[in-house]
């Protein structure tokens, strides 16, 4: 009976025995026979056979609606039951994990209660071999690298903005409109990505906003972007903020963005060891949607 209903659903959806047979990898005669037997068992016709097409009868329309819903429910249940019980191992840069991903994971767990995520805050470069050895299912990295050994999907471009607290701006007149950088303390992420040039993010922002600015931009260096931002929040200087990491602080007014946002040399990439793993596919689809939604919100904030 189930086989006959699958043949019926395909034929009703495509309105063709020939196309249904192709979609099910069966012969046309096998599909026709299954549907004929189904009609005989039910005692009424499901299709009106026309010269070059099929048309559903009223009872066929009703059965098609129920069959489509039932087969969809069966497929969804089989996929859910087939999920591995092992947590999805997600390796993520610490600052991105802390300030962007972690606050959103509650929604993921609410939407996908059958997929458990184990979040690991890590810096190291990854490839297929290291992901296998270190049992990493997916990784989020911020860099300009072109990956070839693992599936790499660009999640989000990044933009740089100089940020400081309102209190720090008040103590340094002319800083907020870019007229003066005198006495400013520059706060740095010492290594935005593996192999990054010294002060690369500040220099990238300066090329657009202050091409005639100071040549020496030394200042305190931190091994996490979140530490540089914490120092800025403590009124210790001006940090170069990645918009994904400072969005909430700018929106709340804790930090003020200065100058024009400048596209960063790096971007956020999702690396997947096995993109066909159902857990990986579910997480990948979710984080891509979240990044798209964030990109829209970020654009609105920066244009305000």
């Amino acid at each position: 009976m189930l086989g006959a209903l699958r043949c019926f659903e395909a034929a009703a959806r495509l309105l063709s025995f020939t196309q249904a047979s192709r979609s099910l990898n069966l012969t046309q005669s096998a599909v026709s026979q299954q549907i004929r037997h189904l009609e005989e068992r039910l005692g009424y016709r499901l299709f009106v056979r026309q010269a070059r097409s099929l048309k559903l009868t009223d009872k066929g329309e009703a059965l098609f609606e129920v069959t489509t819903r039932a087969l969809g429910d069966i497929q969804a249940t089989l996929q859910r039951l087939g999920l591995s019980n092992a947590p999805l191992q997600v390796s993520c840069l610490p600052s991105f994990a802390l300030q962007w991903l972690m606050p959103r994971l509650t929604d993921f767990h609410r939407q996908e209660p059958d997929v458990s995520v184990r979040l690991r805050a890590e810096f190291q470069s990854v490839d297929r071999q290291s992901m296998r050895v270190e049992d990493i299912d997916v990784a989020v990295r911020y860099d300009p690298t072109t990956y070839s050994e693992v599936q790499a999907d660009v999640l989000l471009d990044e933009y740089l903005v100089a940020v400081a607290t309102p209190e720090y701006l008040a103590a340094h007149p002319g800083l907020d409109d870019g007229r003066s950088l005198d006495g400013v303390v520059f706060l740095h992420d010492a290594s935005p990505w593996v192999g990054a040039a010294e002060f690369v993010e500040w220099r990238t922002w300066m090329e657009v906003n202050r091409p005639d600015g100071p040549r020496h931009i030394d200042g305190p260096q931190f091994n996490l972007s979140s530490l540089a931002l914490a120092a800025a929040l403590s009124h210790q200087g001006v940090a170069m903020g990645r918009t994904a990491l400072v969005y909430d602080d700018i929106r709340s007014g804790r930090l003020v963005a200065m100058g024009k946002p400048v596209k960063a040399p790096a971007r956020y990439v999702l690396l997947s060891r096995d993109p066909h793993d159902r857990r990986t596919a579910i997480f990948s689809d979710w984080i891509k949607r979240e990044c798209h939604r964030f990109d829209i919100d970020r654009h609105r904030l920066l244009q305000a």
Side-chain angles (χ1 to χ4, degrees):
M1 188 69 167
L2 183 58
L5 287 172
R6 289 185 64 85
C7 289
F8 165 71
E9 187 278 334
R13 174 166 41 86
L14 300 169
L15 293 178
S16 167
F17 289 161
T18 301
Q19 293 184 42
S21 65
R22 291 172 182 164
S23 70
L24 297 171
N25 199 27
L26 297 172
T27 65
Q28 181 177 342
S29 61
V31 172
S32 298
Q33 186 177 35
Q34 286 272 23
I35 293 174
R36 185 171 62 253
H37 289 165
L38 180 61
E39 289 178 323
E40 291 173 354
R41 183 170 180 176
L42 295 173
Y44 49 79
R45 296 174 67 90
L46 298 170
F47 293 99
V48 176
R49 277 75 167 173
Q50 299 175 329
R52 294 182 178 275
S53 64
L54 296 174
K55 182 180 178 180
L56 284 164
T57 64
D58 290 344
K59 290 184 177 180
E61 290 274 9
L63 182 60
F64 174 59
E65 181 179 344
V66 173
T67 303
T68 300
R69 184 167 59 249
L71 291 176
D73 290 343
I74 291 171
Q75 182 64 27
T77 300
L78 289 174
Q79 290 178 344
R80 179 176 59 81
L81 295 176
L83 288 173
S84 170
N85 291 326
L88 185 74
Q89 303 286 340
V90 178
S91 171
C92 186
L93 294 175
S95 294
F96 189 78
L98 180 65
Q99 294 173 261
W100 193 93
L101 180 55
M102 191 173 65
R104 291 170 169 81
L105 278 180
T106 299
D107 285 338
F108 175 77
H109 291 140
R110 185 181 300 114
Q111 295 173 34
E112 303 292 345
D114 297 310
V115 181
S116 175
V117 170
R118 181 171 295 168
L119 186 58
R120 297 157 48 172
E122 299 172 325
F123 289 102
Q124 79 274 20
S125 299
V126 293
D127 55 24
R128 183 179 297 277
Q129 176 65 10
S130 64
M131 291 179 77
R132 183 185 65 80
V133 171
E134 297 172 27
D135 191 28
I136 297 172
D137 293 306
V138 296
V140 178
R141 290 295 183 266
Y142 172 72
D143 58 37
T145 304
T146 299
Y147 292 89
S148 59
E149 295 183 358
V150 295
Q151 177 166 316
D153 297 311
V154 175
L155 288 176
L156 191 66
D157 287 328
E158 185 55 285
Y159 294 85
L160 304 173
V161 289
V163 292
T165 60
E167 292 83 354
Y168 193 84
L169 291 176
H172 295 79
L175 174 58
D176 57 343
D177 60 10
R179 287 184 291 107
S180 173
L181 295 176
D182 294 342
V184 169
V185 175
F186 298 100
L187 306 170
H188 301 274
D189 180 350
S191 183
W193 60 86
V194 175
E198 188 176 39
F199 308 146
V200 60
E201 291 185 320
W202 262 108
R203 295 191 187 283
T204 299
W205 185 85
M206 286 281 195
E207 286 175 4
V208 173
N209 287 279
R210 289 299 303 271
D212 58 345
R215 299 182 61 183
H216 299 288
I217 51 176
D218 295 341
Q221 299 187 42
F222 307 87
N223 73 329
L224 286 177
S225 181
S226 56
L227 293 177
L229 295 175
L233 285 165
S234 298
H235 322 300
Q236 296 179 29
V238 182
M240 185 47 55
R242 299 169 203 150
T243 53
L245 308 184
V246 297
Y247 174 85
D248 288 337
D249 289 318
I250 293 175
R251 188 178 61 173
S252 68
R254 290 189 295 268
L255 291 175
V256 177
M258 294 167 282
K260 298 178 181 178
V262 179
K263 190 171 183 179
R267 74 279 190 255
Y268 298 101
V269 183
L270 179 70
L271 308 173
S272 303
R273 183 176 68 179
D274 179 10
H276 301 295
D277 183 312
R278 180 66 179 162
R279 299 167 305 150
T280 296
I282 290 172
F283 182 82
S284 177
D285 289 343
W286 171 80
I287 196 172
K288 288 174 184 176
R289 290 195 304 271
E290 287 298 310
C291 285
H292 178 69
R293 186 178 298 114
F294 171 78
D295 195 32
I296 294 173
D297 292 341
R298 173 178 63 179
H299 179 75
R300 291 171 179 162
L301 178 69
L302 296 179
Q303 295 301 314

